[in-house]
Amino acid sequence: MSREPWPRQRSAPRIPEPRGGRAQRAAYLLLALCAGALLLAGQSLVSIARSLTSHFATLQIGALLKGTCYLAEEIFHLESRHHGSFWRVVSTCFSPSWHGPMLLICGSAYVALFSDGQPLGLHFILASLCQLLILSLGLQKPSAVEMSEMSERSKQNVAHGLAWSYYVGYLKIVLPRLKKSMEEFSRGNPNLMACRKTWKLHILVPLSCDVYDDLEKADSNIQYVTDLTETTLARAGTKKRVYKHSLYTIRDEENQLWHCAVEYATPLQSLWAMSQDECAAFSREERLEQAKLFYRTLEEILKSSKECADTYRLIAYEEPEEAETHFLSREIVWHLRQEHREEIAVLEGSHPHTPSTALDSAELSLQISVSDLPQPLRTDGF
């Protein structure tokens, strides 16, 4: 029976980093280039000032008209969305609040600079017409990148809500109690959990959101052993709610057995179900993006949690295009080996300090020469 080759190198999933300020810096660079081109054009300062004030006034008119259109809708949701406050409606529809003063300043500068007698009212009417056409045709809708950045910055993604719910409603409860459960199991089974670095909850995060209810069906090299000690709490009106983790045996390519507590991140099932339901309007691409954001957000939350420190290990992975029988067990074993290396590194780092007191006397005797040893007071040999 041929054995499936074990990959030596593991390709880590590509988790997106938070967006930086490159777009803003690019805007500054383009602004400088445009200013340089304007100066090289050789136009008079008066004509440049006229054009700038005209464009600024047009932009402020567009912002005010857009806010007016939103106000026409929001006024019908005064009680349900804005707690009956008309000022709250106005402030949300016309934000930021400097559009009005900016329009007055630009209009005043426009009147002062124009000397050709063109009516100011006609210019404003034409600008309003153009802006209303743009709004009516939907030409000012934010791009997909803008929407993604806004939702990430405001932390209003589906992934953010799922990650925080998973942490507050589950991990924050069970992880601080995990070490105690591992110690109790290790006392009865000292040979199974010898490496303390593996005394963690290994949380599987498949970016495809394909979650198996039975790990043994996902990979035959993963076998259920037992359940750790249960935690029973009263939670949200449910008395004696039970929290527990399952311990599994993972077989590697050399038939060596590894033991760890492992489970899927259950919120990924919600992302999968949303992508399968037409009412959610959740595409496969959006599901993948939200799964990556879920992993990144959960990682950030757990890293900042002192009570959950060193009690978990997130295992994010992308399943290969070609199905592999034991891909999942390989992924878990890779992380378990990493934990073993971490423990060995810690032990080796502590060894030079522990035996130093025992070796001090031996090293000292080697460093003392014969002439440095105490000599007898008499030199005649007696």
Side-chain angles (χ1 to χ4, degrees):
M1 181 178 179
S2 62
R3 189 172 63 192
E4 196 171 350
W6 197 277
R8 294 190 177 183
Q9 292 186 350
R10 170 184 172 271
S11 58
R14 296 180 179 179
I15 305 298
E17 295 291 332
R19 289 185 174 93
R22 299 180 185 87
Q24 191 69 27
R25 291 194 291 271
Y28 292 147
L29 176 61
L30 293 174
L31 177 63
L33 291 175
C34 288
L38 194 60
L39 292 174
L40 293 175
Q43 297 292 324
S44 65
L45 292 178
V46 175
S47 62
I48 291 174
R50 287 176 183 174
S51 301
L52 286 177
T53 53
S54 174
H55 286 300
F56 270 114
T58 302
L59 291 175
Q60 304 316 310
I61 289 172
L64 291 173
L65 289 174
K66 187 177 181 179
T68 304
C69 295
Y70 283 127
L71 180 63
E73 172 64 34
E74 294 302 307
I75 200 71
F76 291 94
H77 305 279
L78 186 65
E79 297 294 335
S80 61
R81 292 180 182 269
H82 305 282
H83 309 289
S85 173
F86 182 76
W87 174 248
R88 184 173 180 142
V89 178
V90 174
S91 62
T92 54
C93 292
F94 297 95
S95 179
S97 58
W98 44 260
H99 287 304
M102 191 69 179
L103 179 60
L104 291 175
I105 294 172
C106 291
S108 302
Y110 186 86
V111 172
L113 291 170
F114 262 96
S115 58
D116 55 2
Q118 185 179 2
L120 179 64
L122 177 61
H123 175 78
F124 280 178
I125 291 172
L126 291 174
S128 301
L129 179 63
C130 292
Q131 292 295 327
L132 289 171
L133 280 173
I134 291 173
L135 289 172
S136 302
L137 297 175
L139 302 179
Q140 267 190 340
K141 290 182 179 180
S143 65
V145 173
E146 289 176 301
M147 294 179 66
S148 174
E149 184 176 10
M150 286 188 292
S151 58
E152 282 188 41
R153 286 186 181 275
S154 60
K155 300 189 182 302
Q156 293 178 349
N157 275 295
V158 174
H160 285 97
L162 289 176
W164 274 104
S165 176
Y166 185 47
Y167 168 71
V168 175
Y170 179 64
L171 295 180
K172 192 176 180 181
I173 299 171
V174 300
L175 288 182
R177 298 172 170 86
L178 183 66
K179 290 288 186 182
K180 183 179 178 181
S181 300
M182 288 290 190
E183 287 176 0
E184 292 176 0
F185 178 82
S186 183
R187 280 196 294 267
N189 304 271
N191 295 327
L192 293 184
M193 304 293 291
C195 178
R196 295 182 69 90
K197 276 289 184 180
T198 62
W199 291 14
K200 301 175 181 179
L201 180 61
H202 297 77
I203 304 172
L204 302 177
V205 186
L207 299 182
S208 65
C209 299
D210 191 6
V211 173
Y212 286 83
D213 292 325
D214 189 347
L215 275 171
E216 295 177 335
K217 293 181 179 179
D219 193 321
S220 59
N221 278 352
I222 304 174
Q223 295 297 319
Y224 169 79
V225 177
T226 186
D227 290 330
L228 297 176
T229 307
E230 297 178 351
T231 299
T232 305
L233 298 172
R235 186 74 174 169
T238 302
K239 292 185 178 294
K240 298 181 179 180
R241 176 168 288 183
V242 177
Y243 298 89
K244 65 179 180 180
H245 310 289
S246 297
L247 193 71
Y248 287 88
T249 296
I250 318 295
R251 186 183 300 274
D252 66 12
E253 78 284 9
E254 298 173 353
N255 286 326
Q256 181 181 353
L257 300 181
W258 304 73
H259 299 84
C260 67
V262 59
E263 61 185 49
Y264 284 101
T266 52
L268 295 177
Q269 289 181 313
S270 300
L271 288 177
W272 177 269
M274 289 174 65
S275 66
Q276 304 300 312
D277 196 323
E278 293 181 359
C279 296
F282 205 60
S283 67
R284 181 182 178 277
E285 291 75 16
E286 291 171 328
R287 184 187 71 200
L288 177 61
E289 181 184 3
Q290 292 300 311
K292 292 180 177 180
L293 288 176
F294 170 81
Y295 171 81
R296 194 183 78 193
T297 307
L298 184 62
E299 185 179 40
E300 292 173 355
I301 294 171
L302 289 172
K303 280 183 177 180
S304 63
S305 175
K306 294 180 181 179
E307 53 196 337
C308 297
D310 204 34
T311 60
Y312 69 92
R313 190 175 183 98
L314 298 178
I315 303 178
Y317 60 90
E318 289 181 298
E319 296 177 354
E321 296 180 0
E322 297 182 1
E324 295 183 20
T325 309
H326 301 302
F327 171 78
L328 184 56
S329 59
R330 293 170 179 173
E331 196 72 19
I332 298 172
V333 168
W334 186 89
H335 284 270
L336 293 174
R337 284 175 171 161
Q338 289 294 109
E339 290 170 338
H340 273 260
R341 293 190 188 102
E342 291 170 9
E343 177 157 322
I344 292 172
V346 170
L347 292 175
E348 289 179 348
S350 61
H351 276 320
H353 300 284
T354 51
S356 59
T357 54
L359 294 175
D360 279 346
S361 59
E363 292 173 354
L364 184 61
S365 65
L366 291 174
Q367 292 172 0
I368 298 176
S369 65
V370 176
S371 60
D372 294 329
L373 293 174
Q375 301 294 325
L377 294 177
R378 296 177 61 179
T379 58
D380 53 1
F382 295 96

